[in-house]
Amino acid sequence: QVNQENCTSFQGEIEVVGTTGGQGSNYAYQLILNGSDFGAPQTSPVFSGLGAGTYEVRISDQWSCTTVVGPETLYEPITLTGTVVKPIDCTASPDGEITINVTGGSSNLEFTVVYPDGITTDTNVTGVFTGLDQAGTYNFTVTDLDTNPVCVSTLEVVLENPTPVTLDPATIIDV
């Protein structure tokens, strides 16, 4: 089972629970990462400080009874970048658009935004937010729904008010 997801690099932890059979005790646990032995066998069923990868554990006893359990997948930590695709402007469609790009994590993500007013929210699974009509700081939260406990990452993106067109009356020349 996964005790701690790899939400922060090398913070993952998996544990083998419910080992029975064979000799009944004196088990050795060998971690297997992406198909190859990783580290030395140990007597503890808990493996900590793990990074991203697919893990299995080979359990053996002193009678040479063995079994392999898993796999358990730990994902890369989530990294977010926000792009203002369209700023708020003075066109016929003045609303802004922000896209949140994600590296790491699984592909089963939920994106939530809290608008600058602190009340309005929106949630989707694409990371593309359109119709943004408030200038200010948008607070985005991305939740990885395939992790348990859940990995969450946050990001702030600012949409500025458009600069209004102004006229300096002192520069008008009457001809």
Side-chain angles (χ1 to χ4, degrees):
Q1 76 181 21
V2 174
N3 287 344
Q4 175 65 47
E5 290 290 347
N6 190 43
C7 298
T8 306
S9 290
F10 300 104
Q11 295 299 311
E13 180 178 283
I14 61 173
E15 177 180 10
V16 178
V17 293
T19 304
T20 60
Q23 182 184 12
S25 62
N26 299 318
Y27 297 111
Y29 300 89
Q30 173 63 59
L31 189 63
I32 302 168
L33 171 60
N34 299 327
S36 299
D37 286 1
F38 185 73
Q42 63 185 45
T43 57
S44 170
V46 178
F47 296 90
S48 301
L50 303 178
T54 300
Y55 294 90
E56 297 174 293
V57 178
R58 182 181 319 104
I59 307 166
S60 56
D61 66 14
Q62 292 177 346
W63 292 350
S64 298
C65 297
T66 62
T67 189
V68 176
V69 296
E72 294 288 351
T73 300
L74 297 177
Y75 297 101
E76 290 288 342
I78 295 173
T79 303
L80 306 178
T81 55
T83 303
V84 176
V85 176
K86 181 184 177 296
I88 296 174
D89 58 28
C90 298
T91 64
S93 300
D95 295 345
E97 179 179 333
I98 296 174
T99 298
I100 304 301
N101 297 299
V102 178
T103 57
S106 73
S107 59
N108 188 14
L109 303 173
E110 179 181 81
F111 299 80
T112 301
V113 62
V114 177
Y115 283 55
D117 66 10
I119 298 168
T120 308
T121 63
D122 190 15
T123 300
N124 68 40
V125 295
T126 64
V128 177
F129 293 88
T130 59
L132 305 176
D133 58 358
Q134 299 176 20
T137 302
Y138 287 79
N139 294 290
F140 294 90
T141 302
V142 178
T143 304
D144 191 331
L145 301 176
D146 280 347
T147 57
N148 184 20
V150 176
C151 290
V152 175
S153 190
T154 60
L155 178 71
E156 293 181 347
V157 180
V158 175
L159 271 182
E160 300 288 340
N161 263 326
T163 304
V165 176
T166 59
L167 177 64
D168 184 358
T171 60
I172 298 175
I173 301 173
D174 188 16
V175 273

